[in-house]
Amino acid sequence: MNFMQSLRAAWRERDTLLCVGLDPDTARLPPSLAGSPRAIFEFCRDIVDATADLVCAFKPQIAYFTACRAEDQLEALIGHIHARHPGVPVILDAKRGDIGSTANRYAEEAFARYQADAVTVNPYMGRDSVEPYLAWEGKGVILLCRTSNPGGSDFQNLDLADGEKLYARVARLASGAWNANGNCALVVGATFPDELAHVRALVGDMPLLVPGIGAQGGDIAASVSAGQTGDGFGLMLNSSRAILYASEGEGGDFAAAARRAALDTRAAINACRAS
């Protein structure tokens, strides 16, 4: 199956909109992994195995691996997810954005080297910087639209000459002219539910990756209400730190704590969904 097919199957088969972000901060890894040369992989692997039946996707953040020279552990992790949990798509959170020739290499990195099912991309250099990713027809291309960070308002919320917001122009292009292969999705933060609702109205049933719940404080109920599709799906609500580090302060099995946090988050999301 391609990314879109896998995502839709995961939504229905697991009855979940939860995406778990894999952001392994070496300063916060549990003491039980101290001294292991593959601690990053082992930490993420155990959390993946504890939560895979609860999620619609996993989203490893590439910088947490490359900053530690752990690219091999990222490759191993994605390989593990595909081998042990087939059908759970992997989104490489890379937020790449560059001219076409360089974008070709970034697309090859994400899809050929790391074997990711989708990648996050910064579209603000225009169509030619996005096209190399879109050419991989079976892969998802998740474009930054209205991001969850406060500074996103510096540019994304600006009015264009015709009065349209910049983020809205991105949404329209992603759901229209740029989406010839049907492999586009968008990033819209949980911290901006009004904009999330506007994007949903613009793009129809296009999948939306929604960061910002959990540690960033985005409101689950508001996000689900604003962004779900008519059948109660359409969203990948991402939580990272609140699940990864759920065992901090209580000790014990970090993977079991992550599973409890994921169960609670999925239940909170599902309580807000359309029946």
Side-chain angles (χ1 to χ4, degrees), residues 5-228:
Q5 292 167 336
S6 296
L7 176 62
R8 292 187 176 101
W11 280 334
R12 288 167 170 80
E13 292 170 6
R14 295 172 176 80
D15 191 29
T16 184
L17 305 182
L18 175 63
C19 172
V20 170
L22 301 170
D23 305 353
D25 184 344
T26 55
R28 300 178 71 176
L29 297 185
S32 61
L33 295 176
S36 172
R38 288 170 64 80
I40 290 174
F41 167 74
E42 292 165 5
F43 175 68
C44 293
R45 176 202 61 198
D46 289 357
I47 287 176
V48 162
D49 290 346
T51 61
D53 61 318
L54 306 175
V55 307
C56 65
F58 287 110
K59 183 178 70 65
Q61 217 302 327
I62 193 170
Y64 284 88
F65 295 84
T66 58
C68 302
R69 302 177 185 270
E71 292 95 327
D72 60 331
Q73 297 182 61
L74 176 57
E75 291 183 56
L77 175 63
I78 296 175
H80 174 83
I81 295 170
H82 287 154
R84 288 288 302 275
H85 308 288
V88 179
V90 178
I91 301 164
L92 184 65
D93 191 3
K95 299 183 178 71
R96 301 302 196 198
D98 212 323
I99 62 171
S101 58
T102 306
N104 272 309
R105 296 305 184 191
Y106 279 140
E108 185 177 356
E109 173 195 48
F111 299 138
R113 178 185 179 184
Y114 290 117
Q115 295 291 307
D117 300 295
V119 65
T120 57
V121 174
N122 188 329
Y124 289 97
M125 286 183 67
R127 180 170 184 161
D128 62 308
S129 70
V130 174
E131 285 177 333
Y133 305 94
L134 299 174
W136 292 70
E137 295 185 17
K139 301 294 189 177
V141 184
I142 307 178
L143 304 174
L144 303 184
C145 179
R146 185 70 173 99
T147 56
S148 59
N149 61 306
S153 299
D154 292 347
F155 299 108
Q156 297 161 16
N157 209 36
L158 292 177
D159 291 313
L160 301 178
D162 59 4
E164 185 175 41
K165 297 290 186 182
L166 179 56
Y167 78 84
R169 179 69 56 85
V170 171
R172 284 200 305 105
L173 289 169
S175 62
W178 293 3
N179 201 23
N181 291 325
N183 56 345
C184 282
L186 292 169
V187 176
V188 185
T191 46
F192 298 105
D194 290 343
E195 287 92 331
L196 178 56
H198 186 201
V199 170
R200 174 56 73 204
L202 289 171
V203 303
D205 290 344
M206 174 178 282
L208 302 179
L209 174 61
V210 182
I213 67 169
Q216 292 186 59
D219 185 87
I220 289 175
S223 298
V224 172
S225 176
Q228 69 181 331

